[in-house]
């Protein structure tokens, strides 16, 4: 179809909607942009052709100069401000798209596999707005909201991901394992694991104490995560200085199984810098019981003493 015919046909009402729907509006715009890559053009066009009366998951080609204050945040991600904001409706008066969220903060993430764009978009947990290209590196980049697709909000998963660049266990499999638990938190941090540096543990009396084969007892300075603090832009924690058990991971290759078989609540993984052993951080109910029993014994002993004096 030549250019004239295509434009003309796009002025017709949509057969499905029986009016000039969003699909038709996008179709008319096809002549006005290109990504320079046939597959990407087709991917965006196909998405737009499916819109009809719904702009919920709409994607567009966004020129790179629509972004400013681009800043590296994590792994392959950058944060930036988007001048125009996202499409919310068609403005009949101005014959253009109505937008909201001007200068909103978005996330730019490099498209790694141009042959499988659909899969990359499907695997993304954030709401996507479109694709752009860095004119210097020529990299194609997905433009993402800083919001989770599932929650339609900046949920725990997003906060954890923003911190991926700031820690590593030194072992890719362990990093990935911890990251996966963090990415699946969404609105509950109950089962989340974190990487905890070894110097966050101490023992007030004896140093980190050996209890049984491959298990040690220690106090954990920070305590566990229970919520996100928007004011401080950091995690809220509780149980500071709680006693935990550090249990050696016997087989770093099959550590997932060890976690699955563990009956106690796990808080994370650490590494003894001397032995290089990786260790699970566990809440030990048995140990807590023993401490409670000891406190009870001491208290009752004191009470008996006081009682005998009278
Ligand atoms: Zn339609
Ligand atoms: Zn979420």
């Amino acid at each position: 179809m030549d250019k004239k015919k295509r434009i003309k046909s796009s002025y017709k009402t949509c057969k499905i909607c029986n009016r000039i729907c969003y699909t038709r509006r996008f179709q008319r715009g096809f002549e006005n942009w290109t990504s320079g890559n046939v597959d990407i053009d087709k991917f965006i066009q196909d998405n737009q052709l499916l819109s009809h009366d719904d702009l919920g998951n709409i994607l567009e080609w966004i020129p790179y100069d629509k972004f400013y204050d681009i800043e590296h945040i994590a792994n392959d991600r950058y944060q930036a401000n988007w001048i125009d904001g996202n499409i919310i409706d068609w403005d009949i008066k101005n014959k253009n798209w109505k937008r909201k969220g001007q200068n909103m903060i978005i996330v730019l993430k490099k498209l790694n596999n141009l042959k499988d764009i659909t899969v990359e978009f499907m695997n993304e947990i954030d709401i996507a707005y479109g694709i752009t290209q860095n004119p210097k590196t020529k990299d194609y980049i997905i433009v993402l909201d800083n919001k989770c697709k599932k929650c339609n909000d900046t949920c725990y998963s997003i906060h954890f991901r923003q911190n991926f660049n700031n820690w590593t266990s030194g072992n890719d499999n362990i990093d990935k394992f911890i990251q996966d638990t963090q990415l699946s938190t969404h609105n509950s941090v109950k089962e989340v694991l974190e990487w905890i540096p070894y110097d966050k543990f101490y023992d007030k009396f004896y140093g980190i104490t050996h209890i049984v084969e491959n298990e040690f007892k220690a106090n954990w300075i920070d305590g566990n995560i229970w919520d996100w603090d928007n004011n401080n832009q950091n995690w809220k924690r509780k149980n500071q200085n709680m006693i935990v058990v550090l249990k050696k991971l016997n087989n770093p290759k099959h550590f997932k199984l060890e976690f699955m078989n563990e009956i106690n609540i796990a808080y994370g993984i650490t590494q003894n810098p001397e032995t290089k052993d990786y260790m699970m951080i566990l809440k030990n109910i048995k140990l807590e019981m023993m401490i409670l029993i000891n406190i009870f014994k001491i208290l009752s002993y004191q009470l008996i003493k006081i009682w005998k004096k009278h």
Side-chain angles (χ1 to χ4, degrees):
M1 212 188 287
D2 68 33
K3 198 174 162 183
K4 267 184 194 166
K5 267 188 194 160
R6 206 193 301 175
I7 291 173
K8 213 181 159 194
S9 72
S10 70
Y11 272 93
K12 290 180 191 164
T13 53
C14 166
K15 275 179 194 156
I16 297 169
C17 307
N18 205 17
R19 63 186 184 91
I20 301 173
C21 64
Y22 295 138
T23 296
R24 286 298 194 216
R25 306 283 180 197
F26 280 117
Q27 250 178 332
R28 289 182 201 177
F30 284 179
E31 304 295 331
N32 303 331
W33 62 267
T34 176
S35 67
N37 174 301
V38 183
D39 295 330
I40 290 177
D41 281 359
K42 179 145 190 329
F43 180 74
I44 295 174
Q45 288 174 3
D46 285 350
N47 165 282
Q48 295 181 342
L49 289 175
L50 287 173
S51 58
H52 295 291
D53 63 349
D54 178 15
L55 294 170
N57 297 306
I58 206 69
L59 299 175
E60 56 176 323
W61 174 252
I62 310 167
Y64 201 69
D65 59 9
K66 296 288 184 185
F67 303 107
Y68 64 94
D69 282 353
I70 301 169
E71 232 179 274
H72 188 226
I73 46 167
N75 295 344
D76 50 356
R77 281 162 197 272
Y78 291 79
Q79 188 177 289
N81 293 74
W82 180 15
I83 296 173
D84 297 330
N86 61 301
I87 291 173
I88 53 162
D89 199 359
W90 177 258
D91 187 337
I92 294 170
K93 242 193 218 165
N94 296 319
K95 295 194 176 70
N96 207 337
W97 293 105
K98 220 184 258 178
R99 292 171 182 272
K100 69 163 186 187
Q102 280 72 28
N103 304 302
M104 71 198 284
I105 291 173
I106 48 83
V107 171
L108 301 173
K109 189 202 164 203
K110 191 181 154 189
L111 255 178
N112 291 309
N113 189 350
L114 288 182
K115 280 181 188 146
D116 235 333
I117 308 169
T118 316
V119 174
E120 276 213 47
F121 270 84
M122 271 169 52
N123 288 341
E124 199 50 59
I125 66 164
D126 319 58
I127 296 165
Y129 291 125
I131 303 176
T132 187
Q133 185 184 31
N134 182 327
K136 274 188 199 152
T137 62
K138 304 287 172 205
D139 287 336
Y140 284 102
I141 295 163
I142 313 180
V143 181
L144 299 165
D145 197 333
N146 216 7
K147 272 183 191 167
C148 166
K149 208 158 42 178
K150 192 177 163 194
C151 309
N152 192 23
D153 200 358
T154 309
C155 67
Y156 293 141
S157 306
I158 305 282
H159 293 305
F160 277 115
R161 198 189 51 207
Q162 270 170 346
N163 202 35
F164 280 180
N165 223 20
N166 299 327
W167 60 267
T168 177
S169 67
N171 175 313
D172 288 347
N173 292 330
I174 291 178
D175 282 0
K176 174 98 186 15
F177 179 65
I178 295 174
Q179 287 175 2
D180 284 347
T181 71
Q182 297 185 341
L183 287 179
S184 45
T185 49
H186 297 291
N187 58 17
S188 167
V189 284
K190 265 188 191 151
E191 286 175 18
V192 75
L193 298 177
E194 52 176 328
W195 173 252
I196 309 163
Y198 200 69
D199 60 10
K200 295 288 184 184
F201 301 102
Y202 71 98
D203 190 304
K204 262 184 271 183
F205 304 108
Y206 316 105
I208 291 173
T209 326
H210 198 214
I211 35 179
V212 288
E213 178 79 29
N214 292 331
E215 289 187 29
F216 303 81
K217 170 180 94 67
N219 294 72
W220 179 15
I221 297 173
D222 298 328
N224 59 298
I225 287 172
W226 68 277
D227 197 4
W228 175 255
D229 186 340
N230 250 329
N231 294 330
N232 296 321
Q233 288 294 301
N234 209 336
W235 294 105
K236 280 185 200 168
R237 291 174 181 273
K238 61 181 177 184
N239 301 320
Q240 278 74 24
N241 303 302
M242 73 196 284
I243 291 171
V244 288
V245 169
L246 313 185
K247 186 174 173 184
K248 190 182 153 190
L249 281 171
N250 290 311
N251 189 344
K253 275 184 191 159
H254 300 291
F255 63 89
K256 283 180 200 172
L257 205 67
E258 286 185 57
F259 268 91
M260 273 170 58
N261 292 336
E262 183 54 53
I263 51 161
N264 291 312
I265 293 168
Y267 294 117
I269 305 177
T270 190
Q271 185 184 32
N272 181 327
E274 278 165 32
T275 62
K276 304 287 173 204
D277 287 336
Y278 284 104
M279 296 161 127
M280 299 189 255
I281 315 302
L282 302 172
K283 175 177 187 167
N284 195 317
I285 297 157
K286 258 189 292 180
L287 196 70
E288 281 187 346
M289 283 297 289
M290 272 162 58
I291 292 160
L292 275 177
I293 289 166
N294 273 330
I295 291 171
F296 181 74
K297 271 187 194 162
I298 294 165
L299 274 177
S300 42
Y301 177 73
Q302 297 291 343
L303 278 172
I304 290 165
K305 267 209 309 199
I306 294 166
W307 181 72
K308 276 185 178 165
K309 270 186 192 167
H310 284 84

